Amino acid sequence: MTTQETLLGAPGAIVDPDMHFRQQRGLWSDAWRRLIKNRLAMLALLLLSVVIFVAFVGAYVGPLARYAPGDFTGIKQSGPTQHTWFGTDQLGRDLFARVLDGVRISIQIGLGAQVVIILIGFTIGAGAALGGKWSDNLLMRFTDIMYAFPDLLAIILVRSVLFGRHWPIISNPRVIVILAIGLVAWTTIARLVRGQMLSLAERDYVLAARSLGASRFRVVIQHMLPNTLGPVIVAITFGIPAAIFAEAALSFIGLTTPGSLGLLVSIGYNSIQVNVWNVVFPALAVATLMLSFTFLGDGLRDALDPRSR
């Protein structure tokens, strides 16, 4: 029996070209069923859905300022009340509305940073795996150099360089933070994509597709890329809380993003002796986002891991 017959079945067997795609759909359906059974992951997903919905809808139905500009007669910093659930800040503004605004900004930064990370990491990882030995050594040595820098220090350096330029596209502080995080934190995705593609290149269905005359581009797009998405999705889910924490750390040390949760914690810390709630509620919002994404990432990792079947 030839190699092609060994891979595709007995002589005379009918080869279904859509069989691999149906198997892929079955794998994703099976992963979803296993994710549903993970109560902690589903609780995290439900909590994230509620928080994201309230944060983005609350921006249009809830005012960020309780008093009109220039009216300082009613300014009073207070704790939680019936009308202000989280209390008010130093300027009398509703802290609940400000926390919702901070949650929205943190999620935008977390997701935006992952987009940049995917674009860079996928390009370098796939180029290293598919481009030959020379490109593999060059790209992975560059990845190792970037990986050697401490993340937070590198983010601060990149942000400082971008902030000093007057470019219309990246003049927005949020875009600057997104680019700074994305330009530093792509190394994990690049290594993951390279490892996955090198492993998939030796799988039976990839060898079968090549033996049938499929082009290299078709093999990569239709067979290798879909099977790389599972680990990448898990890495992205874990990368979102890391980006949120990095932004909060930057804002806390003074490299502020207007309206972010880190900035709220930093401002509230200055008056913690007067009103501790100005620190507690923004810090709890950061912790809730990070824990929810972490638990969801753990559930996705277990659901997408074939060894857990």
Side-chain angles (χ1 to χ4, degrees):
M1 185 178 293
T2 64
T3 304
Q4 181 174 338
E5 292 172 344
T6 303
L7 293 175
L8 301 181
I14 299 175
V15 179
D16 185 359
D18 295 329
M19 179 178 63
H20 178 60
F21 295 101
R22 285 200 294 269
Q23 291 176 349
Q24 280 295 113
R25 288 194 294 266
L27 290 175
W28 288 106
S29 300
D30 185 49
W32 172 248
R33 287 194 296 269
R34 281 184 286 161
L35 180 63
I36 293 177
K37 295 179 182 178
N38 191 323
R39 297 181 179 179
L40 189 59
M42 294 308 297
L43 178 61
L45 180 60
L46 177 61
L47 181 59
L48 280 174
S49 301
V50 172
V51 170
I52 292 173
F53 176 79
V54 173
F56 280 84
V57 174
Y60 301 99
V61 299
L64 293 180
R66 177 163 295 276
Y67 304 104
D71 180 13
F72 300 98
T73 58
I75 289 180
K76 182 181 179 181
Q77 186 175 193
S78 64
T81 64
Q82 181 180 358
H83 301 288
T84 56
W85 296 348
F86 288 1
T88 56
D89 64 2
Q90 298 88 338
L91 298 179
R93 293 172 293 186
D94 189 350
L95 186 60
F96 178 72
R98 299 204 71 197
V99 169
L100 290 183
D101 190 47
V103 168
R104 187 176 68 258
I105 293 173
S106 295
I107 292 174
Q108 290 173 349
I109 291 175
L111 294 177
Q114 298 312 304
V115 173
V116 179
I117 289 171
I118 292 173
L119 292 176
I120 300 176
F122 241 108
T123 302
I124 293 181
L130 304 174
K133 184 176 180 180
W134 184 84
S135 62
D136 185 18
N137 288 331
L138 178 63
L139 292 176
M140 294 315 298
R141 297 298 77 76
F142 174 69
T143 302
D144 292 339
I145 293 174
M146 292 298 299
Y147 189 79
F149 285 95
D151 287 348
L152 188 58
L153 180 61
I155 291 172
I156 293 174
L157 178 62
V158 174
R159 184 194 178 281
S160 300
V161 172
L162 294 178
F163 191 77
R165 301 291 186 271
H166 299 283
W167 297 328
I169 300 178
I170 59 173
S171 59
N172 190 305
R174 299 182 200 177
V175 177
I176 292 175
V177 173
I178 288 173
L179 290 176
I181 296 175
L183 291 173
V184 171
W186 54 266
T187 54
T188 300
I189 294 292
R191 288 182 167 188
L192 179 62
V193 171
R194 173 183 176 272
Q196 284 293 116
M197 287 195 170
L198 289 177
S199 175
L200 292 172
E202 303 300 327
R203 298 292 178 89
D204 290 346
Y205 59 86
V206 174
L207 297 176
R210 289 176 178 172
S211 66
L212 290 174
S215 64
R216 189 175 187 182
F217 178 79
R218 182 175 180 179
V219 170
V220 171
I221 297 298
Q222 294 188 357
H223 300 285
M224 299 179 67
L225 186 60
N227 289 278
T228 310
L229 293 180
V232 171
I233 290 174
V234 176
I236 291 172
T237 309
F238 284 117
I240 294 175
I244 292 174
F245 179 78
E247 183 279 324
L250 290 175
S251 295
F252 186 79
I253 63 177
L255 302 175
T256 60
T257 303
S260 68
L261 292 174
L263 180 61
L264 294 182
V265 174
S266 178
I267 294 175
Y269 181 77
N270 296 327
S271 60
I272 193 172
Q273 300 294 335
V274 179
N275 187 1
V276 70
W277 300 112
N278 285 338
V279 176
V280 170
F281 287 120
L284 283 177
V286 174
T288 300
L289 289 176
M290 294 186 63
L291 287 176
S292 298
F293 277 111
T294 301
F295 290 149
L296 180 59
D298 286 334
L300 288 173
R301 180 179 56 193
D302 295 337
L304 293 172
D305 188 359
R307 292 172 296 181
S308 65
R309 298 182 63 184

